Amino acid sequence: MVRSRGARRVVGLDRGVSVNHEPAVITEHTGLGKGSLYNFFPRGKDEMAEAVLDEVDAWFQTAVYRPLREPEPAAARLERMFDEVETYFRSGRRICLFGAFALGLERDRFAHRVRAYFTDWVDSLAGALTDAGHGRQSRPLAEEVVAGIQGALVLARALDDPGSFTRILTRLRRSVENPTTSRA
């Protein structure tokens, strides 16, 4: 089934299509007829959104959250997270679907999923920051980093300047390097 193979691409949600769009808009962006979409997703738009959220969540679990909790040196885990995030978000050229849902009309329908995505990220990152020596500042710094990444995505999109995402990500990387300079 398509849920396990590229739901994001099929539905078009990574290209700015919202789950709140009419089916005609979704079919226009995907190149699939309405009948084909509903063959893949018989329960409609919410099922399409769930499929994409499943795909994104699985990627983040595998590429970001689990590696942040692995026993390798904390600095390597943190560097890997930033590398994976930069690659995933195409250096600021791809939106964060969970972030978009948090701000959009979808928030209430998918509140549990959105909350879990951000909680998993902050918790996993805070653990790695604790291991890196940030102590009590680990959780606030994790929140700041995740918020900074999300804000950088919005700014890059708003300004049509993907370079701003890369510049902000570079500063966020530096903010986690030295525990003595992290902010509370």
Side-chain angles (χ1 to χ4, degrees):
M1 181 175 214
V2 76
R3 287 183 70 103
S4 63
R5 292 188 323 268
R8 166 185 284 274
R9 183 175 26 85
V10 170
V11 177
L13 290 173
D14 64 341
R15 296 186 305 269
V17 177
S18 167
V19 72
N20 288 313
H21 279 116
E22 293 300 317
V25 174
I26 296 171
T27 61
E28 177 185 327
H29 279 81
T30 63
L32 295 172
K34 186 176 175 181
S36 295
L37 274 175
Y38 286 99
N39 281 332
F40 290 128
F41 306 102
R43 292 190 339 268
K45 293 187 289 184
D46 281 356
E47 185 178 8
M48 292 177 206
E50 285 289 345
V52 177
L53 292 174
D54 289 346
E55 186 177 302
V56 173
D57 183 60
W59 186 89
F60 269 84
Q61 290 293 337
T62 301
V64 177
Y65 311 151
R66 283 186 201 122
L68 281 170
R69 297 187 298 259
E70 289 177 355
E72 69 181 282
R77 290 183 274 158
L78 295 168
E79 189 64 27
R80 178 177 176 181
M81 181 204 73
F82 283 109
D83 290 345
E84 293 289 351
V85 164
E86 186 165 17
T87 299
Y88 180 81
F89 290 118
R90 297 183 187 144
S91 301
R93 290 179 180 85
R94 174 188 269 177
I95 65 167
C96 174
L97 186 64
F98 280 95
F101 275 27
L103 299 172
L105 297 173
E106 302 89 354
R107 186 185 72 79
D108 291 339
R109 288 197 319 259
F110 300 101
H112 174 73
R113 299 291 304 271
V114 169
R115 186 177 305 108
Y117 170 86
F118 286 106
T119 299
D120 285 351
W121 196 350
V122 169
D123 289 349
S124 299
L125 179 54
L129 290 168
T130 297
D131 294 347
H134 289 274
R136 293 182 313 147
Q137 297 175 4
S138 296
R139 183 149 191 97
L141 183 55
E143 292 170 344
E144 185 175 329
V145 168
V146 172
I149 291 168
Q150 293 297 311
L153 288 167
V154 171
L155 188 65
R157 184 89 168 182
L159 299 177
D160 194 22
D161 176 17
S164 63
F165 177 79
T166 303
R167 291 188 299 274
I168 293 168
L169 205 61
T170 298
R171 289 192 296 275
L172 291 170
R173 284 178 195 260
R174 283 191 216 122
S175 76
V176 303
E177 288 175 356
N178 185 351
T180 62
T181 62
S182 66
R183 299 180 290 270

